[in-house]
Amino acid sequence: MPRTYADLLREAREQIRELTPSDVDALPDGGAIVIDVREDSEWEQGHLPGALHISKSYVEQQIEAAAPDRDAPVVLYCAGGVRSLFAAQTLEQLGYTNVASMSGGFQGWKSAGLAWDKPVVLSPEQKQRYSRHLLIPEVGSAGQERLLGSKALFIGAGGLGSPSSLYLAAAGVGTIGIVDFDVVDLSNLQRQILHTNDRIGERKVESARKTINALNPDVNVIAHEEMLVAENVDRIIAGYDVIIDGTDTFETRYLLNDAAVAKNIPVVHASVFRFEGQLTTFIPYEGPCYRCLYPTPPPPELAPGCSVAGVLGVVPGIMGMLQANEAIKVLLGIGDTLSGRLLLFDALDTSFTELKLRRDPACPICSTEAVAARAEGRPLPIPSFGAPAAEQPFVLGGPA
């Protein structure tokens, strides 16, 4: 005898455990993965704080990414508590052992006077542009909104800054600042893909703005056509969420590091030399800073720039894309950054090597003593730039 809708609903209620909105609200942080199975238009009208969004139509396809552990507690909810029951049945068929449905759904949650979030709604064009991000649980609409509200600063519009700025612009980072006082030269075009042959002699910041806005006109490009020096570094980096370091001198790297630590701004650092590249992320007080890694600069003959030593054009491209990946993780607060790790790349054998890094307890910039001295207005014991090089990992030099 054919079963009716009422039969199916009764069976679902007999099979699936139900929690009230108060039960769900009482769960400890991290006590369960809460998933909203309503449609996009319903999600945009409001949702439970911290919930993930997977429309019921896509539960089978996307649940493993959101809840890889099939024994972890999962709570599903919809508008009134019916669709979530059927979605929970699907999860049990997929082998999930601890699934519950929230009775009353989102309407019951609101009626109980519990807090809920209303996301900023993306425009139809933004939904289409960032559609592949919206499918990823770790990004989704909330993450995309976070990217759109983020500000990234690029020190240099060269070989490293070119690919990293393009990928952050494509990702939807809302504001991109670029510090560069140079003009486009023919020799740049072997690796600096922001620029084109018809822009030779043009200011790099203006050339970069044209390319970035041609890719994504929503990005606000702020041009800082000036050299980064002690007199302007605090002003330039203020207000940015992450800094992508493509600097070409050790003096500038130390200057940037010291200012970024003082303002608690993460710096994604990379450098290149011929066929090799280095990459790490400096997150103030979480991992080492640049001075922990390189207490003093090496002699110039050990770290020549690419104008002297040369560089394979694709190497800064690879390192710059990795910088963009690190910056996105920093901005979204996802994954494991390279803080405390130094990644070495060799293009000739396509190998990556990782070195563990530690904070220097005597670092003149990020140590406990340095933090106390800064708070009290005392001078920091920073070694002079011309001091002899200390024992330290091999330094890759070179403007890209």
Side-chain angles (χ1 to χ4, degrees), residues 36-287:
D36 186 322
V37 298
R38 297 174 301 160
E39 298 303 313
D40 292 348
S41 58
E42 296 173 286
W43 166 267
E44 291 171 356
Q45 294 172 18
H47 54 79
L48 270 64
L52 303 177
H53 179 224
I54 304 177
S55 295
K56 183 176 178 295
S57 305
Y58 295 98
V59 164
E60 297 90 341
Q61 299 175 25
Q62 299 179 16
I63 187 59
E64 290 183 4
D69 181 359
R70 282 176 164 76
D71 295 322
V74 178
V75 177
L76 307 180
Y77 74 91
C78 59
V82 174
R83 280 174 289 174
S84 55
L85 282 168
F86 293 129
Q89 282 186 311
T90 299
L91 293 197
E92 289 199 344
Q93 292 168 7
L94 291 173
Y96 285 83
T97 62
N98 194 355
V99 183
S101 170
M102 188 175 76
S103 61
F106 186 56
Q107 293 302 323
W109 179 274
K110 290 198 297 183
S111 297
L114 300 172
W116 53 281
D117 293 339
K118 185 172 183 179
V120 177
V121 179
L122 301 178
S123 69
E125 181 180 340
Q126 288 173 324
K127 290 179 182 177
Q128 184 174 3
R129 178 183 290 273
Y130 307 118
S131 60
R132 301 307 187 268
H133 275 178
L134 302 182
L135 296 172
I136 306 173
E138 293 84 354
V139 183
S141 59
Q144 191 59 56
E145 291 156 16
R146 189 168 178 175
L147 290 176
L148 290 167
S150 296
K151 300 177 68 176
L153 178 66
F154 289 81
I155 313 298
L160 294 167
S162 287
S164 50
S165 62
L166 283 173
Y167 269 99
L168 289 194
V173 173
T175 299
I176 289 179
I178 300 176
V179 181
D180 204 306
F181 61 92
D182 205 356
V183 298
V184 179
D185 183 81
L186 181 61
S187 64
N188 301 149
L189 303 184
Q190 165 249 16
R191 63 205 177 280
Q192 298 182 14
I193 58 174
L194 273 174
H195 316 298
T196 55
N197 201 69
D198 62 333
R199 297 181 195 162
I200 291 174
E202 187 172 324
R203 295 176 299 160
K204 282 188 177 180
V205 291
E206 179 60 21
S207 174
R209 183 193 62 76
K210 290 178 180 177
T211 303
I212 289 170
N213 283 150
L215 175 65
N216 190 345
D218 287 342
V219 176
N220 176 31
V221 179
I222 300 176
H224 302 275
E225 192 187 4
E226 51 191 315
M227 180 184 294
L228 196 71
V229 294
E231 289 73 26
N232 64 16
V233 62
D234 287 339
R235 167 178 58 81
I236 288 177
I237 71 173
Y240 285 96
D241 302 303
V242 67
I243 299 170
I244 294 83
D245 176 16
T247 53
D248 56 8
T249 70
F250 288 100
E251 285 185 276
T252 309
R253 290 173 185 169
Y254 287 118
L255 175 71
L256 175 63
N257 172 80
D258 299 352
V261 170
K263 289 188 176 295
N264 201 23
I265 303 174
V267 175
V268 182
H269 166 77
S271 56
V272 296
F273 177 80
R274 293 181 176 169
F275 298 97
E276 302 172 1
Q278 291 185 358
L279 176 74
T280 188
T281 298
F282 300 117
I283 300 181
Y285 314 115
E286 176 181 310

Side-chain angles (χ1 to χ4, degrees), residues 245-376:
D245 176 16
T247 53
D248 56 8
T249 70
F250 288 100
E251 285 185 276
T252 309
R253 290 173 185 169
Y254 287 118
L255 175 71
L256 175 63
N257 172 80
D258 299 352
V261 170
K263 289 188 176 295
N264 201 23
I265 303 174
V267 175
V268 182
H269 166 77
S271 56
V272 296
F273 177 80
R274 293 181 176 169
F275 298 97
E276 302 172 1
Q278 291 185 358
L279 176 74
T280 188
T281 298
F282 300 117
I283 300 181
Y285 314 115
E286 176 181 310
C289 74
Y290 190 79
R291 285 191 186 270
C292 295
L293 181 58
Y294 303 119
T296 54
E301 62 271 16
L302 294 184
C306 71
S307 60
V308 176
V311 63
L312 186 69
V314 72
V315 173
I318 293 168
M319 304 312 293
M321 285 192 291
L322 290 173
Q323 281 185 293
N325 182 60
E326 285 293 292
I328 288 173
K329 288 190 294 181
V330 168
L331 293 173
L332 291 179
I334 61 174
D336 296 321
T337 70
L338 283 171
S339 177
R341 296 182 288 157
L342 180 66
L343 191 67
L344 311 178
F345 172 66
D346 189 325
L348 285 179
D349 59 12
T350 318
S351 66
F352 288 92
T353 305
E354 185 179 297
L355 304 177
K356 295 293 184 182
L357 306 177
R358 294 180 180 177
R359 288 180 64 185
D360 179 2
C363 175
I365 293 299
C366 74
S367 66
T368 302
E369 172 60 25
V371 173
R374 188 181 294 111
E376 296 169 7

